[in-house]
Amino acid sequence: ENIPIPVFSKDTAGRYLVCNSAYLEYFGITADEIHNADTFSLHPPELAQFYHDKDDELFLTGQHQTYETKLRDGRGELRHGIVHKALLTDSDGITTGLVGAILDITERHRAEEENKKLQAQLQQAQKMEAIGTLAGGIAHDFNNILGAILGYAEMVRDDSPPGSTTAHDLDQILQAGNRAKELVKQILAFSRQAESEKIAVQPAIIL
């Protein structure tokens, strides 16, 4: 009775013999309700069948049981618990029932689930960091190539007659190259390898 976790015992027919106050409080039942009651009269059907099957398994094998299961407490909340059960025997060693105790591990279970979520988020962040590092490396190499293209295009443009077809074509190359440079800046910003520049804009003009 002084044990703070739910403790119970049943006979070989599956009827409750006795339980402590912690058990009654946990499941929101009274001592009168549990008298001669069985698993199916106290617990939801989908859970009661599992409890009943585990009881039968204990009586069949005689081996101590420790297993994790879901529990529906007196407030209707679905919780998680670890159940420990063993046989009850008389002085002649004849099985008269079973005794069990329940350890509520709902908070630990929630902490483990939260930890799994955090681990998944960390893995995703590491993937994004790896992608950013890869993108940054590619962008740097691409930037070097662009530098050569733009540099030589500008020199040829300076040597081309104004208004000529060659000068016009080189202008198009330089325009595309500068757009590529802006794209490289965005990639480097994504990889956090470049300082992002804040530019004031006037939304009214854009609108």
Side-chain angles (χ1 to χ4, degrees):
E1 180 62 26
N2 290 326
I3 295 177
I5 64 174
V7 178
F8 62 95
S9 65
K10 299 178 183 178
D11 61 20
T12 53
R15 293 186 299 268
Y16 282 90
L17 295 172
V18 68
C19 68
N20 64 350
S21 297
Y23 190 94
L24 297 176
E25 182 179 353
Y26 188 87
F27 289 104
I29 53 180
T30 65
D32 290 336
E33 288 176 318
I34 203 169
H35 182 66
N36 280 331
D38 61 14
T39 299
F40 292 98
S41 59
L42 293 181
H43 302 288
E46 68 277 9
L47 298 177
Q49 186 62 53
F50 174 75
Y51 302 156
H52 177 75
D53 292 342
K54 295 300 288 186
D55 289 348
D56 284 349
E57 180 183 312
L58 176 62
F59 289 129
L60 181 64
T61 65
Q63 300 295 320
H64 293 180
Q65 288 182 339
T66 298
Y67 56 87
E68 185 173 338
T69 183
K70 294 179 180 179
L71 306 160
R72 184 75 66 178
D73 66 12
R75 295 170 298 180
E77 182 181 350
L78 190 63
R79 301 184 69 81
H80 296 268
I82 293 179
V83 178
H84 299 271
K85 288 193 302 190
L87 292 178
L88 280 177
T89 57
D90 61 16
S91 58
D92 296 324
I94 297 175
T95 299
T96 58
L98 61 84
V99 62
I102 302 171
L103 178 63
D104 190 298
I105 59 167
T106 304
E107 297 309 317
R108 189 180 81 184
H109 192 273
R110 288 173 179 169
E112 290 174 350
E113 290 298 316
E114 184 64 25
N115 186 56
K116 289 180 182 178
K117 291 180 182 178
L118 292 175
Q119 288 290 339
Q121 291 174 0
L122 176 60
Q123 290 177 356
Q124 183 64 23
Q126 289 173 335
K127 288 179 183 178
M128 294 302 295
E129 183 180 0
I131 292 173
T133 301
L134 176 63
I138 294 173
H140 275 300
D141 290 341
F142 189 50
N143 213 26
N144 294 333
I145 298 171
L146 273 177
I149 294 173
L150 290 172
Y152 281 105
E154 287 172 355
M155 287 189 292
V156 176
R157 175 66 177 82
D158 291 340
D159 295 337
S160 300
S164 64
T165 302
T166 301
H168 177 267
D169 292 343
L170 287 168
D171 286 338
Q172 296 302 311
I173 293 174
L174 290 170
Q175 185 177 351
N178 285 318
R179 285 202 302 267
K181 279 181 64 176
E182 292 302 315
L183 181 60
V184 169
K185 286 182 181 179
Q186 293 179 33
I187 296 173
L188 289 173
F190 168 76
S191 65
R192 296 191 180 94
Q193 296 186 25
E195 292 294 330
S196 58
E197 181 183 359
K198 295 181 179 180
I199 301 174
V201 298
Q202 298 184 47
I205 296 176
I206 298 174
L207 292 172

